[in-house]
Amino acid sequence: MRDKTQTNSAAAGDRLIRAGAIVFFIGAVATLVTVAPLFLGSKPFPTYMFGLSMLMAVGFIVAGAGLIQSIAAGRRQARGD
């Protein structure tokens, strides 16, 4: 069975997982930038930066949805559907 699977084939949910990881990383950078003025003693960033920090949660949810989709596809394949 292993010889029939291509190494570069994308399974179900892989794109969502990658997109979620990218969005999560952007949100993590935005969070670090937003928190930095607290430690540097400078003027805080505008409110929209706090909104960009929420991208961490959005990326986590998108990656989780991709993971669930990948698990469901694996179960369907194991059942032989």
Side-chain angles (χ1 to χ4, degrees):
M1 187 66 135
R2 213 177 209 321
D3 58 340
K4 294 180 183 178
T5 304
Q6 297 178 5
T7 57
N8 61 354
S9 64
D14 281 354
R15 288 184 187 159
L16 279 176
I17 293 171
R18 288 182 187 140
I22 291 168
V23 171
F24 182 86
F25 180 72
I26 292 169
V29 170
T31 300
L32 290 175
V33 168
T34 304
V35 174
L38 295 173
F39 297 112
L40 300 175
S42 61
K43 182 181 170 195
F45 285 102
T47 307
Y48 69 87
M49 286 299 290
F50 294 102
L52 285 177
S53 296
M54 292 292 109
L55 287 177
M56 279 180 65
V58 172
F60 188 75
I61 290 170
V62 169
L67 185 63
I68 290 171
Q69 186 179 12
S70 178
I71 290 170
R75 286 186 177 185
R76 280 192 302 270
Q77 185 180 11
R79 274 191 257 147
D81 289 344

